[in-house]
Amino acid sequence: TGKSAWYTAPATTLQALSDLIVSTPGANKLLKLDANSKLPADITGNAATATKLATARKINTVPFDGSADINLTPAQIGAAPKGYGVGERLTPLSSGYDLNTLVLSGMYIAPTPTNGPLADSFQYGVIVTGGSLFTSQMLVRFESGKTLLYHRHTVNSGSDWSTWKQIATTDLVAPAGYGLGTTANEYTGNIDTTDWKTGFYYVKSGATGNKPYTYGHLIVMVESAAATIKQIWMTNIMNDMQIRQCVNGVWSNWKQIATTDLITPYGLGTTTTQYLNADLNTMLTTGFFYVNGGSMTNYPTGANINAHLLVIARTSIVVQQTYYAVDGLVYTRACNSGTWSPWKQIATTDQTTYITASGTGTGYNWRKWSNGDIEIFGTAAAVINTAGTVTYPITLSTIKTCIAVQNEKGVPNGYVFRAINITTAKFDYNWDTFTTGQGSGSACVIHYHVVGT
């Protein structure tokens, strides 16, 4: 055959192979299957006939020994429970479902629910996140061409829901073309129109209407075109702001908004501006000022020449001035139609007395002054030619003055009333005879005025 040598296999026989395949386990032997295609029954252990594991194992905490199938819940494998809209279509709720009772976390579809944000027939997608007490609901309103979002919450398991609030989307808070969140909307039309939308504008030089400046920024606030529109103009040429409003189609004049650089010269929010040797008759602008100087004119005669001056002017011919001298004395005067009144000093509490308390009672009045004096004005019934006593309604510590007269009410009187024995608590009275018997025994009234402390 062309081979120089052939491989010689070791000597063996079929009988030798048959001896290796056995029905009884043995060393270096092969076990053959029985007539049922199973391993022999007498092999070691129960492998030939086993129906379950000798030692059970757990799958996600559920015991498994192989003898039967096991069922695992979504919670046991960390999955969302079926029926709450997670990993599937939104869970449908019945029509008219009361959202106040929906406190379990999940995603739902609610057709025409009750206690929703709007009373309508639209469907809502509902997202609920709930805890033991706190629950939050967010609704998505399904409406053609619109996406509306609403939110509310409860902190007491659904018994105290907050009011629904709409969640602002960008189309609500920043409509295109009105300058919110972007550059101001350029405007070239007539600014006197009533066809405005609330927003921020840049009015270009080509715009028409009553503009305070050629161009500038404009803030517009609209209640409605037929009611009230407000405009605030800010020029980028100088630090100036103007405001006006339109009511029922009629625009007011522009008015300048006072900024701090405008009110500072009048002493508001800063130190007062000094006027040296001023003629106070010429200071006709409302404000706070400091005036002084030996050549100052038309200030209060004899007053200190260093003072603060408050000017309140309705017009240039209706003006009130108050002069606060540095020695604490205060003076005031007024101008009406160009004519100044004389300066008058304003009395302070250390320069005059004033009433600190007063009262009244049956047949008397009283008042107390800041210097401690007490005045009593009273009346008392009396009989002509009959002596008597009048007791003060208030007991005094000292007596300064007592004046008493009698009024006989038109009865002829031949007797003269006389007050005697005046004390801090009372006075006595008797009668001197002028014409004996005339008016004696007739009723009269005693009027008295007592001053004491």
Side-chain angles (χ1 to χ4, degrees):
T1 61
K3 292 288 185 180
S4 59
W6 289 90
Y7 173 75
T8 302
T12 185
T13 64
L14 292 174
Q15 182 61 46
L17 291 174
S18 178
D19 292 341
L20 294 174
I21 302 172
V22 298
S23 300
T24 301
N28 301 318
K29 301 296 183 181
L30 296 175
L31 285 174
K32 65 179 180 179
L33 301 178
D34 59 15
N36 297 318
S37 298
K38 294 183 178 181
L39 290 174
D42 57 352
I43 64 175
T44 302
N46 61 356
T49 60
T51 59
K52 65 178 182 179
L53 299 176
T55 302
R57 297 292 185 266
K58 290 183 178 180
I59 301 176
N60 278 70
T61 73
V62 179
F64 176 72
D65 62 4
S67 62
D69 293 337
I70 61 173
N71 293 317
L72 298 177
T73 65
Q76 290 170 326
I77 63 174
K82 183 177 177 60
Y84 293 95
V86 180
E88 57 183 355
R89 291 181 179 274
L90 296 176
T91 300
L93 302 174
S94 59
S95 180
Y97 191 93
D98 185 358
L99 297 182
N100 283 357
T101 64
L102 188 62
V103 295
L104 296 179
S105 296
M107 301 182 185
Y108 308 86
I109 183 73
T112 318
T114 59
N115 290 311
L118 299 174
D120 55 32
S121 59
F122 287 94
Q123 293 193 111
Y124 292 86
V126 187
I127 301 173
V128 180
T129 56
S132 58
L133 291 175
F134 180 85
T135 301
S136 178
Q137 290 180 345
M138 185 173 75
L139 268 68
V140 182
R141 186 171 187 247
F142 298 128
E143 181 180 348
S144 177
K146 290 184 180 180
T147 300
L148 302 179
L149 302 176
Y150 301 89
H151 175 266
R152 70 170 181 170
H153 68 274
T154 176
V155 295
N156 196 20
S157 302
S159 63
D160 57 350
W161 286 101
S162 65
T163 57
W164 285 104
K165 292 185 179 180
Q166 186 174 0
I167 300 174
T169 50
T170 55
D171 59 315
L172 296 176
V173 298
Y178 296 101
L180 191 59
T182 181
T183 56
N185 183 37
E186 291 189 354
Y187 187 82
T188 57
N190 187 341
I191 70 167
D192 293 334
T193 182
T194 58
D195 186 22
W196 283 101
K197 303 293 184 184
T198 298
F200 299 84
Y201 301 84
Y202 179 69
V203 180
K204 304 191 74 174
S205 58
T208 59
N210 181 18
K211 300 184 296 181
Y213 293 94
T214 304
Y215 52 87
H217 290 91
L218 187 67
I219 300 174
V220 179
M221 295 164 283
V222 181
E223 179 182 332
S224 68
T228 303
I229 306 172
K230 282 187 169 58
Q231 292 180 336
I232 298 176
W233 181 286
M234 294 170 286
T235 177
N236 55 359
I237 301 176
M238 55 191 297
N239 185 19
D240 185 17
M241 298 176 66
Q242 305 271 341
I243 188 171
R244 70 171 182 170
Q245 70 174 2
C246 177
V247 179
N248 295 324
V250 179
W251 285 99
S252 67
N253 294 326
W254 287 102
K255 292 183 179 180
Q256 186 174 10
I257 298 174
T259 50
T260 54
D261 60 313
L262 297 175
I263 62 176
T264 295
Y266 304 103
L268 191 60
T270 182
T271 56
T272 53
T273 301
Q274 181 179 8
Y275 284 79
L276 181 63
N277 297 323
D279 179 359
L280 300 194
N281 282 2
T282 65
M283 300 190 67
L284 306 175
T285 303
T286 298
F288 300 87
F289 310 94
Y290 183 74
V291 293
N292 68 339
S295 300
M296 182 170 59
T297 57
N298 292 306
Y299 67 95
T301 301
N304 193 295
I305 61 172
N306 298 281
H308 289 93
L309 183 70
L310 169 62
V311 180
I312 304 174
R314 182 174 182 270
T315 66
S316 61
I317 60 174
V318 180
V319 183
Q320 182 82 31
Q321 288 183 344
T322 305
Y323 187 95
Y324 299 89
V326 294
D327 58 7
L329 300 182
V330 182
Y331 306 83
T332 188
R333 68 171 180 167
C335 175
N336 187 12
S337 299
T339 301
W340 286 97
S341 67
W343 285 103
K344 293 182 179 180
Q345 184 178 347
I346 298 176
T348 55
T349 57
D350 60 328
Q351 297 167 331
T352 185
T353 55
Y354 54 93
I355 297 172
T356 60
S358 63
T360 185
T362 302
Y364 73 94
N365 297 287
W366 68 274
R367 59 190 179 189
K368 184 174 183 179
W369 293 86
S370 57
N371 64 358
D373 284 354
I374 298 175
E375 284 188 290
I376 304 172
F377 302 87
T379 61
V383 176
I384 295 175
N385 200 28
T386 301
T389 299
V390 173
T391 301
Y392 312 141
I394 299 173
T395 300
L396 305 174
S397 298
T398 63
I399 188 74
K400 293 184 176 181
T401 302
C402 177
I403 301 173
V405 297
Q406 59 86 24
N407 182 351
E408 64 277 4
K409 299 182 179 180
V411 176
N413 182 12
Y415 298 87
V416 177
F417 172 84
R418 187 184 302 277
I420 60 175
N421 303 325
I422 299 170
T423 71
T424 58
K426 56 85 177 177
F427 64 85
D428 298 327
Y429 61 89
N430 60 18
W431 304 84
D432 289 339
T433 301
F434 180 73
T435 302
T436 302
Q438 189 177 34
S440 181
S442 299
C444 67
V445 176
I446 298 174
H447 298 265
Y448 63 94
H449 175 207
V450 178
V451 180
T453 59

